[in-house]
Amino acid sequence: MSAVIIDGKQIAADVRADVAQRTAHLKEKNITPCLSVILVGDDPASVSYVTGKQKALAEAGMADRSVHLPENTTESDLLKLISELNQDPSVHGILVQLPLPRHIDENKVLLAIDPVKDVDGFHPVNVGNMVIGRPSPLPCTPHGIIVLLQKMHIRTDGAHAVVIGRSNIVGKPVALLLTRRECNATVTICHTGTKNLAEITRQADILISAAGRPDTVTAAMVKPGAAVIDVGVTRIPDASKKSGFHLAGDVDFAGVKETASYITPVPGGVGPMTIAMLMVNTLEVAERTLGK
């Protein structure tokens, strides 16, 4: 029996619809959630990501204060802009699109964002809050994965979750979120130094792959009935496509869907949830201002 294919597009659309409804409620109280996305340069992938975020903002009825800076923008000018946005009470969220040009220190820039407005959830203050369970913006992709599991009623309580990948963006935070009491899973993190990877993945009730390498997970590595979440996105050259490439995940989709109980496709699985959760984070920062 083939796995249930998790429709990330539909779940993300439901999340965004809820965000739009809550945004309308805030606007009745004269608060318009506002996000500033800062793009430096013209990297095609980054431009595409920013366009997607702007479309989601418009759909939700939020204010868009995005800024597109030239490639040769100095680090000091970028830091000055972030400082101004930090101090602007009408701006609730700030996101700097990565990667930045080489002459700009990414860490310095990310640390300059006010943790309250860090809707990416990457600031060390917010990472610390996530670890100890205090309210704060959660990293969008990991949080999106948790929401997918919840919406599909995939049991996490007492489940053994195996995460492949230890990045600060996906691997580590999703492992932390799974161990929180509301998920209550037992988590194993695997990485390039892991021996007998297949032996470990076959123990997983929930298998999350964020390795960024196609065919990392094959059918032989999956326990029958497991839920498989594929976070990997790799561009594969493909002359038959208008774009010149197609997207591939970490998981051998065709093989694994015959073994798993649930599986996310690439594209259309985890990806749409990332922008949806960014909208949630921006909204929640604005809602907290109402509380104040």
Side-chain angles (χ1 to χ4, degrees):
M1 184 175 174
S2 287
V4 173
I5 297 171
I6 300 173
D7 188 347
K9 285 183 180 178
Q10 184 57 57
I11 294 172
D14 293 343
V15 171
R16 294 199 313 270
D18 178 64
V19 167
Q21 191 173 31
R22 288 161 63 189
T23 295
H25 178 69
L26 270 185
K27 289 168 87 169
E28 290 173 2
K29 300 178 185 299
N30 297 316
I31 296 174
T32 300
C34 174
L35 174 64
S36 178
V37 180
I38 303 171
L39 173 63
V40 183
D42 296 293
D43 175 73
S46 293
V47 170
S48 175
Y49 294 145
V50 170
T51 301
K53 289 162 186 170
Q54 291 178 304
K55 183 180 176 184
L57 285 170
E59 182 187 86
M62 294 184 176
D64 179 2
R65 289 275 296 277
S66 298
V67 182
H68 190 172
L69 300 172
E71 180 87 16
N72 62 358
T73 298
T74 65
E75 182 177 279
S76 60
D77 282 348
L78 178 55
L79 291 172
K80 182 183 176 187
L81 172 62
I82 291 170
S83 177
E84 290 168 356
L85 294 170
N86 281 340
Q87 295 167 48
D88 186 339
S90 69
V91 175
H92 300 102
I94 302 168
L95 184 153
V96 178
Q97 185 66 48
L98 301 179
L100 288 167
R102 290 184 180 181
H103 65 277
I104 297 176
D105 184 336
E106 287 185 0
N107 285 327
K108 191 182 290 186
V109 168
L110 295 178
L111 286 170
I113 298 171
D114 182 343
V116 172
K117 299 187 179 188
D118 164 41
V119 286
D120 249 343
F122 291 159
H123 194 286
V125 168
N126 288 327
V127 174
N129 284 332
M130 176 177 60
V131 171
I132 64 176
R134 290 187 61 188
S136 64
L138 296 174
C140 299
T141 301
H143 191 194
I145 292 167
I146 300 301
V147 172
L148 281 181
L149 294 172
Q150 292 169 340
K151 295 289 186 182
M152 297 303 296
H153 305 289
I154 294 169
R155 184 180 176 88
T156 58
D157 187 6
H160 183 191
V162 173
V163 178
I164 304 174
R166 54 181 166 185
S167 73
N168 293 333
I169 295 172
V170 180
K172 289 176 187 174
V174 79
L176 281 165
L177 292 176
L178 284 163
T179 61
R180 288 168 79 161
R181 288 191 181 276
E182 53 266 37
C183 287
N184 213 33
T186 298
V187 182
T188 301
I189 301 179
C190 299
H191 45 75
T192 51
T194 300
K195 296 177 181 178
N196 302 319
L197 177 63
E199 195 175 301
I200 297 169
T201 59
R202 281 195 294 268
Q203 299 173 37
D205 302 305
I206 300 169
L207 177 57
I208 299 171
S209 185
R213 191 177 68 248
D215 295 324
T216 294
V217 177
T218 63
M221 299 169 68
V222 176
K223 180 168 83 172
V228 179
I229 308 296
D230 190 350
V231 192
V233 181
T234 303
R235 292 187 175 200
I236 307 293
D238 186 343
S240 70
K241 301 288 185 182
K242 186 178 178 181
S243 61
F245 64 86
H246 70 262
L247 300 179
D250 289 355
V251 176
D252 172 17
F253 184 84
V256 171
K257 74 180 175 66
E258 302 303 323
T259 302
S261 59
Y262 294 88
I263 189 168
T264 57
V266 176
V270 174
M273 294 301 295
T274 301
I275 289 181
M277 301 320 296
L278 175 63
M279 298 300 109
V280 170
N281 282 350
T282 304
L283 172 72
E284 289 181 347
V285 174
E287 286 178 336
R288 281 194 280 273
T289 67
L290 181 65
K292 292 176 183 176

